[in-house]
Amino acid sequence: MTLNEARRGKDPLPVVQVIADRYELEEMVGAGGMSRVYRARDRTLERVVALKILHDQYADDDDYVERFRREARAVAQLSHPGIVTVIDRGDDGGGKPFIVFEYIEGENLHELLVRSGALSIRQVLELGGQIARALAFAHEHGLIHRDVKPQNVILDGDGRAKVTDFGIARSLDVEHGVTQTGMVLGTSSYISPEQARGEKADRCSDIYSLGAVLFELLTGHPPFEGDNFVAVAMQHVNQPVPSILERRPDCPPRLARAVERALAKGSGERFPSMDAFASELEACLAQLGAEPELDATLISPSPVLRESRPQRHRASRASRALVALGLLLVLLAGGGYVLLHDRGQTPVSPPAAAAGPVRVTGVGALDPFGPGNREHPERAADATDGDPATYWETETYKGALNKPGVGLVVQTGTARALRSITVSTTTPGFTAEIRTATSADGASQPGPPDSASRTVNGVTTFPLQGKRSSYWVVWITDLGPNSHVYITEVTAKG
């Protein structure tokens, strides 16, 4: 969970709440498996801060409370421009601990990727070096992060990276702490092989996770994708890392080698330290040399095209001829219907695209039958962040669901037909179906069903009927044995 995750489109809190007679909560800006984060106003110093409060269900669990307090103690030791600063900590008066952070008004790397796709080579190296230096500083002070992912890197107003959410950070000196070997923590798209096996994480685990983040910044996708946490985690353990150069031909070979070294299965094959990884990224950046002023802006609109342009100028006549031939074949395959139709022949459709993962983003919740039309829309993004510890949830109902349905809305970005949507939950037994939607507006009516109704148990896949949409709803019609429903992850295939 990041401090600014899922922050857009929320209303202020209906009732003024003040924590510790000092921090006035303004709105919830994010939620994760252990806690919620609010934007708040510090009445004493007259400034905006981010305030993280432990979930109610964990307030009586000594292990969770200790882990939460340890986060505050750990991060309070870290004063670095690349790490979000801890300002204060305490209890809210009811026994729930809280942590106060500096508030960063900016998007995180996950949001940047959704908005712009793969980044330019220079962006990747600049941001990667900043993240690596921040993590190296934490390592020097005895802390490993253990959940390095794009959602936990925020870009400030100057476009610089700041690492946040040391919620499962662990002291390198702890032998009998609350998080023990055998407990799998981390996000599956970026988890190291040793963490996936339930083994002890160390500095090299953060190196692996940062390598996975840089792989996604370069290619637009993490190195491994799948329908659920376990499937992806096992790929990190068993599968070779895909070639960066095949997915991003304009990537400098030295950078590709550095990222692939960070992603080595054995920790001893990776960089010996995060400092060494940072130094290699900085050396790759220095090799890029000076760029035109057009590329001076850190976040620019068409990075991949600009990085590729020098290669196009250097292409040989033979290469250009092969490209032209390839384009001609594509046009003939895609336009076969038009050519044959003009000649009065039976049209031949191009072959269907192979099934594969489709990126979806949680964008809201539908509740057209409830007061306020709200069903925790601010937490929708937690159901598509690749982290099984975070989730979207319905409201709590006494007895049966007293309305035709409520639903989580996800978006594909462009209108398309999907082959299937897979839903993961920790509250099995509820009934749902997949429907289309016209928007993420909570008051909107859901579209017609695109799947059969199914009981959701653990990880459940809904085969779809082929309707086209850019918005999809996991439409819950019966809570089953539950008073509320958690959806931890939604994935899609096209």
Side-chain angles (χ1 to χ4, degrees):
M1 167 191 55
T2 68
L3 301 183
N4 291 37
E5 194 167 60
R7 65 190 182 280
R8 297 184 178 89
K10 295 181 298 300
D11 299 323
L13 296 177
V15 178
V16 174
Q17 301 177 49
V18 180
I19 302 297
D21 295 323
R22 177 173 177 177
Y23 302 106
E24 179 182 331
L25 305 186
E26 296 182 340
E27 66 176 8
M28 190 169 77
V29 296
M34 288 179 58
S35 57
R36 297 187 180 187
V37 179
Y38 296 84
R39 189 184 71 195
R41 176 161 293 279
D42 181 345
R43 290 178 167 182
T44 301
L45 298 179
E46 289 297 318
R47 61 180 176 180
V48 175
V49 296
L51 191 143
K52 179 188 287 191
I53 304 178
L54 192 66
H55 284 319
D56 292 343
Q57 62 264 40
Y58 300 128
D60 296 326
D61 189 313
D62 292 341
D63 283 349
Y64 278 101
V65 170
E66 176 56 29
R67 186 181 301 158
F68 191 83
R69 287 173 174 160
R70 191 179 71 240
E71 175 188 1
R73 293 194 297 269
V75 186
Q77 303 172 32
L78 306 179
S79 178
H80 188 276
I83 298 174
V84 174
T85 303
V86 169
I87 298 171
D88 191 13
R89 66 183 179 94
D91 291 318
D92 69 348
K96 287 187 295 184
F98 67 84
I99 309 172
V100 182
F101 298 88
E102 64 173 320
Y103 184 81
I104 309 297
E105 186 61 57
E107 66 184 344
N108 62 49
L109 278 184
H110 173 73
E111 293 167 331
L112 176 60
L113 280 165
V114 170
R115 177 171 63 82
S116 66
L119 308 187
S120 73
I121 301 300
R122 181 169 291 275
Q123 283 178 279
V124 174
L125 286 169
E126 289 178 340
L127 294 174
Q130 292 164 18
I131 299 166
R133 286 299 178 196
L135 291 171
F137 182 83
H139 291 177
E140 290 167 6
H141 288 74
L143 291 171
I144 51 177
H145 192 287
R146 303 212 309 175
D147 195 22
V148 179
K149 60 183 179 181
Q151 292 91 331
N152 284 340
V153 179
I154 302 175
L155 303 180
D156 66 15
D158 296 324
R160 292 188 59 84
K162 294 180 78 76
V163 180
T164 186
D165 204 355
F166 281 73
I168 60 173
R170 181 180 189 274
S171 170
L172 294 170
D173 299 323
V174 170
E175 293 182 357
H176 302 290
V178 299
T179 302
Q180 299 294 325
T181 299
M183 184 176 183
V184 177
L185 291 176
T187 304
S188 63
S189 292
Y190 316 97
I191 193 170
S192 69
E194 57 271 21
Q195 287 174 280
R197 291 191 295 262
E199 299 170 1
K200 180 180 177 180
D202 58 16
R203 293 176 177 90
C204 288
S205 303
D206 280 354
I207 292 173
Y208 184 96
S209 296
L210 179 55
V213 170
L214 298 185
F215 188 104
E216 184 173 14
L217 297 184
L218 285 166
T219 68
H221 294 277
F224 303 110
E225 298 179 283
D227 289 338
N228 56 67
F229 181 95
V230 173
V232 177
M234 288 302 96
Q235 291 182 72
H236 283 286
V237 173
N238 298 315
Q239 297 299 317
V241 178
S243 168
I244 293 175
L245 293 177
E246 287 182 5
R247 299 190 181 190
R248 181 73 183 266
D250 67 318
C251 179
R254 182 173 179 176
L255 173 57
R257 288 193 300 270
V259 174
E260 289 167 3
R261 179 181 178 184
L263 289 169
K265 301 297 182 190
S267 60
E269 301 171 31
R270 301 170 202 157
F271 289 92
S273 68
M274 188 64 78
D275 261 329
F277 192 11
S279 296
E280 179 63 12
L281 294 174
E282 290 162 356
C284 291
L285 179 61
Q287 280 192 346
L288 285 183
E291 287 193 355
E293 291 185 3
L294 276 174
D295 288 340
T297 303
L298 181 63
I299 299 173
S300 48
S302 307
V304 176
L305 291 179
R306 281 201 305 278
E307 293 288 335
S308 302
R309 193 174 296 142
Q311 289 192 346
R312 289 203 302 270
H313 286 309
R314 291 194 299 267
S316 66
R317 291 184 179 179
S319 298
R320 290 197 296 270
L322 287 173
V323 171
L325 178 59
L327 288 173
L328 177 59
L329 291 174
V330 170
L331 289 172
L332 287 174
Y337 178 91
V338 176
L339 293 173
L340 293 174
H341 180 76
D342 287 345
R343 297 182 181 182
Q345 300 179 30
T346 303
V348 178
S349 300
V358 173
R359 182 187 291 274
V360 293
T361 305
V363 292
L366 289 190
D367 187 8
F369 309 103
N373 309 122
R374 295 178 65 81
E375 197 85 14
H376 296 303
E378 73 283 348
R379 301 188 62 176
D382 290 332
T384 56
D385 63 358
D387 185 350
T390 62
Y391 53 86
W392 170 82
E393 63 179 316
T394 67
E395 298 290 344
T396 300
Y397 294 89
K398 296 180 179 179
L401 187 66
N402 56 2
K403 58 187 73 173
V406 296
L408 168 69
V409 184
V410 299
Q411 177 180 275
T412 56
T414 58
R416 61 180 300 161
L418 297 177
R419 295 174 185 262
S420 66
I421 285 181
T422 298
V423 178
S424 301
T425 184
T426 54
T427 54
F430 65 90
T431 303
E433 60 194 26
I434 307 300
R435 295 190 171 209
T436 59
T438 56
S439 71
D441 180 11
S444 300
Q445 292 287 339
D450 196 31
S451 78
S453 181
R454 303 194 66 179
T455 300
V456 179
N457 290 308
V459 179
T460 302
T461 297
F462 293 79
L464 302 185
Q465 300 165 4
K467 291 183 171 60
R468 290 179 61 84
S469 182
S470 56
Y471 291 95
W472 306 84
V473 189
V474 181
W475 185 245
I476 300 165
T477 56
D478 191 322
L479 299 176
N482 310 292
S483 59
H484 59 275
V485 164
Y486 291 165
I487 293 180
T488 58
E489 204 65 30
V490 177
T491 58
K493 284 188 175 180

